[in-house]
Amino acid sequence: MKTYADIIDLLNYEGPGLQDYVTPAELDQLLIGTLPLGSIADRYLDDLKHTELVRVATDETATRSDLLTWIGWELEVAGQQRAEDAAEDVLAQLRAHTAAQARQERVALDGRDVLIARAKENGATKDAIAKSLGISRPTLDKWMQDQRDRALFNDAIFTLIRRDTSKSDQAMLFEALGIRDTSGQASVFLAGLGTRTLDDYRDGERELLERAEERARALA
């Protein structure tokens, strides 16, 4: 039989933990104080009396006192974990909500851009389009410029990606494809362009990259 100095020493080396001795419902009761710690301590003591594998050097009174202290520590840890889990659950819900909202907004914005382009193709004036959208003509002009910028930067960023582009640069460039933040795309494009030389590209590609660089620097 192995002897430990006290029950805390035994539990630290041998276990079990508090959750092996209580149900989830009992743990809830312990955390809110409706279940006395002594009832759980008695379970430990009962097991200790009926085992022939280990024992403690302290008497039953000291052992029970130590158990109450140890259970209090375990509850503190469990409470902190509960709080952290609850916070993480809320954060996960917030992240999911934000992502879903962003997807919905992107679909809506993409649909709006398509309708604006279709209206132009069908001969609608900018004033008529702006009035239909309930916005000012300058706001419409900005939306349309953003649409042109995204198309330009998407093409230019995709052109920058080559077989010999490092994996980290590839990841950075791919993440910028399709986002609606044109200033963000401009920054990523300029960062990617800074690692390349235009001599690596064909004439048409160079012309595209030069146009994108000019526009990106105007936005920077």
Side-chain angles (χ1 to χ4, degrees), residues 56-70:
V56 295
T58 52
D59 61 28
E60 184 171 331
T61 301
T63 299
R64 195 171 192 278
S65 176
D66 288 341
L67 269 173
L68 293 174
T69 299
W70 184 82

Side-chain angles (χ1 to χ4, degrees), residues 61-109:
T61 301
T63 299
R64 195 171 192 278
S65 176
D66 288 341
L67 269 173
L68 293 174
T69 299
W70 184 82
I71 292 171
W73 293 340
E74 289 282 284
L75 287 176
E76 184 177 349
V77 172
Q80 291 174 349
Q81 187 62 54
R82 286 279 183 92
E84 291 173 5
D85 290 344
E88 182 54 38
D89 285 344
V90 173
L91 289 175
Q93 292 174 30
L94 181 60
R95 287 192 292 267
H97 174 76
T98 301
Q101 188 175 47
R103 286 194 297 271
Q104 292 174 355
E105 290 174 353
R106 179 169 176 176
V107 168
L109 289 171

Side-chain angles (χ1 to χ4, degrees), residues 1-4 48-56:
M1 179 179 291
K2 191 169 185 178
T3 301
Y4 288 90
L48 188 62
K49 289 177 183 177
H50 293 88
T51 181
E52 297 180 355
L53 300 176
V54 293
R55 70 182 185 89
V56 295

Side-chain angles (χ1 to χ4, degrees), residues 18 22 26 29-43 64 68 71 75:
L18 176 62
V22 297
E26 287 174 332
Q29 292 173 331
L30 286 170
L31 287 170
I32 63 177
T34 58
L35 181 65
L37 305 189
S39 62
I40 309 304
D42 290 340
R43 295 179 188 178
R64 195 171 192 278
L68 293 174
I71 292 171
L75 287 176

